């Protein structure tokens, strides 16, 4: 796969490219390079495109279902990539992970219950809690001198009470890029067992692991964790098919699965013909693509990490996973006298001419940060980094 090719996305109703004027007040490419929304600027695997073309050429787009082959492919992929032996009757599909998170909160909580999660957190984590009438308990991650995130387990114990029902885990973590260690996952699992919390694990970034790391799905580590878990996988980030919403939800506990399935059905969260086709193709024929992609992304990661940390006032930890760089801009804000996230965003948009996710999308603990998506052709990343270096006064 040639990940260096520049494919024009403007004019394709792309959120990342075609909404810059509404979101940032800028035009793509002419005014600003978009490195924000977490989809990549790479084509999907050829096998996915081929299988989608076959379905389109068939010409009939009636109601469809996940057949036996679909479930066999899902079980095999989870075994191969996440080292977890699951049963087909543990699985269900939803049109994306965020709808599954919302359904899970509704299925297992009542208004007034509490949902816990590490912060900064992916924005919809807050939304799915609040829209179901639940209080969100944020557990701020700690940052060391290099910007690397770690868990404050003592703060978790102080924050939990009898109203807490769910623990929302993002593993690997977005936006920090941390891959939680076996020890950390075990402590999280034990915490959920001790306090009778249902564990919802969003593992959408589990394929993006660097430097020889292996995936660890928390539910696979202990039967006690599995019995209280809802694990969410998807091909959408890995194979750049986020516009084809299809996710696999794994729930080993029959009682929990029945409650989730009831809520899912109440919301009519069914997969469509083309999204199910894309998932089957990606998970059965996409391994070679993924290996090539990881090599390319790791080089992009190293480049972005090195050049951002050379900029005055900017600091980022080396991501262990994802294609996202979490950048601490608080020193830059101090140097420039900025007092708000809006001023920081204006700096990137109007001075650096680069559109990045503002840290406040990830909650109040993201104040003073931005998130950069390095899932793009290297020439575009280099140009964006050049603009950031020049705007921040870096002479490198």
């Amino acid at each position: 796969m040639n990940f260096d090719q520049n494919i024009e996305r403007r004019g394709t109703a792309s959120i990342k490219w075609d909404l810059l004027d509404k979101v940032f007040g800028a035009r793509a490419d002419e005014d600003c390079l978009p490195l924000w929304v977490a989809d990549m600027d790479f084509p999907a695997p050829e096998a996915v495109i081929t299988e989608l073309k076959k379905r389109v050429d068939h010409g009939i787009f009636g109601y469809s279902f996940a057949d036996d082959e679909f479930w066999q492919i899902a079980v095999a992929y989870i075994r191969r990539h996440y080292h977890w032996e699951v049963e087909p009757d543990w699985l269900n599909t939803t049109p994306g992970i965020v709808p599954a998170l919302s359904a899970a909160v509704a299925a297992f909580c009542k208004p007034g219950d509490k949902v816990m999660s590490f912060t900064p957190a992916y924005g919809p984590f807050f939304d799915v809690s609040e829209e179901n009438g639940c209080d969100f308990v944020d557990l701020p991650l700690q940052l060391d001198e290099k910007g690397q995130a770690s868990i404050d387990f003592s703060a978790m114990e102080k924050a939990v009470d009898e109203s807490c029902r769910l623990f929302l885990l993002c593993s690997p973590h977005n936006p920090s890029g941390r891959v939680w260690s076996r020890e950390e996952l075990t402590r999280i699992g034990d915490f959920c067992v001790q306090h009778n919390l249902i564990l919802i694990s969003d593992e959408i970034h589990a394929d993006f692991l660097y430097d020889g790391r292996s995936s660890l799905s928390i539910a696979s580590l202990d039967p006690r964790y599995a019995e209280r878990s809802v694990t969410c996988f998807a091909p959408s980030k890995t194979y750049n098919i986020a516009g084809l919403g299809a996710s696999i939800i794994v729930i080993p506990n029959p009682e929990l699965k029945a409650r989730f399935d009831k809520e899912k059905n109440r919301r009519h969260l069914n997969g469509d013909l083309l999204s199910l086709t894309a998932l089957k193709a990606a998970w059965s024929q996409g391994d070679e693509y993924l290996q090539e992609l990881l090599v390319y992304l790791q080089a992009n990661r190293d480049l972005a990490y090195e050049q951002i940390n050379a900029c005055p006032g900017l600091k980022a930890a080396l991501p262990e996973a994802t294609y996202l760089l979490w950048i601490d801009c608080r020193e830059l804000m101090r140097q420039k006298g900025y007092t708000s996230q809006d001023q920081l965003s204006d700096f990137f948009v109007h001075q650096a001419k680069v559109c990045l996710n503002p840290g406040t999308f990830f909650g109040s603990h993201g104040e003073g940060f931005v998130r950069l998506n390095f899932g793009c052709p290297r020439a575009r990343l280099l140009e964006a980094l050049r603009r950031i270096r020049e705007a921040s006064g870096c002479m490198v």
Side-chain angles (χ1 to χ4, degrees):
M1 176 65 69
N2 178 15
F3 296 108
D4 286 320
Q5 62 182 313
N6 182 23
I7 299 175
E8 180 61 72
R9 296 188 67 187
R10 288 175 294 182
T12 63
S14 162
I15 291 176
K16 185 177 184 180
W17 284 83
D18 291 332
L19 289 185
L20 293 193
D21 56 340
K22 293 183 179 180
V23 177
F24 296 98
R27 293 174 298 172
D29 228 24
E30 298 173 16
D31 283 348
C32 210
L33 287 176
L35 276 71
W36 61 305
V37 173
D39 66 20
M40 299 183 290
D41 293 325
F42 307 133
E46 188 59 38
V48 172
I49 298 170
T50 298
E51 293 302 320
L52 288 172
K53 285 179 177 178
K54 287 181 183 178
R55 294 302 313 214
V56 171
D57 288 344
H58 182 256
I60 297 178
F61 307 103
Y63 297 116
S64 61
F65 67 99
D67 58 14
D68 289 342
E69 182 187 29
F70 179 94
W71 299 119
Q72 291 166 8
I73 288 171
V75 167
Y77 191 90
I78 293 169
R79 177 192 307 119
R80 193 165 67 251
H81 287 264
Y82 310 135
H83 316 294
W84 186 18
E85 289 287 346
V86 302
E87 300 293 335
D89 60 4
W90 298 356
L91 310 184
N92 209 329
T93 63
T94 59
I97 286 181
V98 172
L101 298 178
S102 183
V105 175
F108 305 126
C109 294
K110 63 182 185 299
D113 286 344
K114 295 178 180 178
V115 175
M116 311 184 78
S117 190
F118 299 130
T119 54
Y122 177 50
F125 276 31
F126 303 102
D127 299 336
V128 300
S129 303
E130 294 166 5
E131 70 193 12
N132 286 297
C134 295
D135 296 327
F136 188 91
V137 179
D138 63 306
L139 305 170
L141 294 170
Q142 306 299 300
L143 299 181
D144 64 20
E145 59 185 17
K146 294 183 179 180
Q148 189 66 274
S150 63
I151 300 168
D152 187 341
F153 286 99
S154 62
M156 287 170 57
E157 292 291 346
K158 293 176 182 177
V160 70
D161 62 31
E162 61 183 12
S163 298
C164 293
R165 291 290 179 269
L166 286 184
F167 196 105
L168 283 180
L169 176 66
C170 189
S171 179
H173 186 255
N174 172 23
S176 75
R178 272 298 315 279
V179 174
W180 307 122
S181 68
R182 180 181 291 270
E183 179 185 1
E184 288 169 319
L185 291 173
T186 298
R187 292 185 70 177
I188 294 167
D190 288 346
F191 176 84
C192 291
V193 171
Q194 178 184 355
H195 297 286
N196 197 28
L197 302 177
I198 295 173
L199 174 61
I200 315 296
S201 187
D202 173 0
E203 304 191 11
I204 197 169
H205 294 283
D207 288 319
F208 297 104
L209 303 176
Y210 304 119
D211 305 312
R213 292 180 174 85
S214 295
S215 177
L216 281 178
S217 184
I218 186 169
S220 72
L221 301 182
D222 190 312
R224 298 175 304 153
Y225 310 160
E227 278 297 297
R228 61 181 60 252
S229 70
V230 175
T231 306
C232 306
F233 298 117
S236 51
K237 303 296 184 187
T238 308
Y239 302 100
N240 209 34
I241 51 176
L244 296 167
S247 301
I248 296 291
I249 313 303
V250 185
I251 311 176
N253 183 315
E255 190 270 333
L256 294 185
K257 187 171 186 297
R259 290 168 64 183
F260 177 85
D261 290 354
K262 181 179 179 180
E263 183 62 30
K264 177 207 156 174
N265 293 335
R266 188 183 73 82
R267 294 168 178 241
H268 307 287
L269 299 179
N270 301 309
D272 66 83
L273 170 65
L274 295 183
S275 65
L276 297 178
T277 299
L279 187 150
K280 287 174 68 173
W283 275 17
S284 62
Q285 304 176 63
D287 284 8
E288 183 177 351
Y289 171 97
L290 174 57
Q291 293 309 309
E292 294 176 5
L293 174 64
L294 288 175
V295 171
Y296 193 89
L297 286 176
Q298 183 161 326
N300 274 9
R301 176 202 68 162
D302 294 346
L303 184 66
Y305 168 78
E306 178 183 359
Q307 295 201 15
I308 287 297
N309 282 291
C311 295
L314 301 181
K315 179 172 65 175
L318 187 68
E320 298 169 341
T322 79
Y323 48 81
L324 308 164
L325 189 69
W326 186 236
I327 305 173
D328 186 344
C329 308
R330 291 175 294 181
E331 177 60 22
L332 177 73
M333 292 181 68
R334 188 192 66 77
Q335 292 172 5
K336 293 186 174 294
Y338 297 160
T339 58
S340 72
Q341 188 77 36
D342 287 343
Q343 290 175 303
L344 180 62
S345 294
D346 285 345
F347 165 80
F348 282 103
V349 173
H350 300 297
Q351 295 186 45
K353 304 291 186 181
V354 175
C355 296
L356 309 177
N357 285 102
T360 46
F361 173 77
F362 305 91
S364 61
H365 293 285
E367 180 80 34
F369 290 75
V370 294
R371 191 190 72 175
L372 181 151
N373 175 352
F374 55 82
C376 62
R378 192 156 300 137
R380 184 174 301 141
L381 177 62
L382 284 167
E383 173 59 19
L385 293 170
R386 182 193 66 78
R387 296 181 184 190
I388 295 172
R389 290 201 317 273
E390 289 187 359
S392 64
C394 178
M395 297 296 104
V396 176

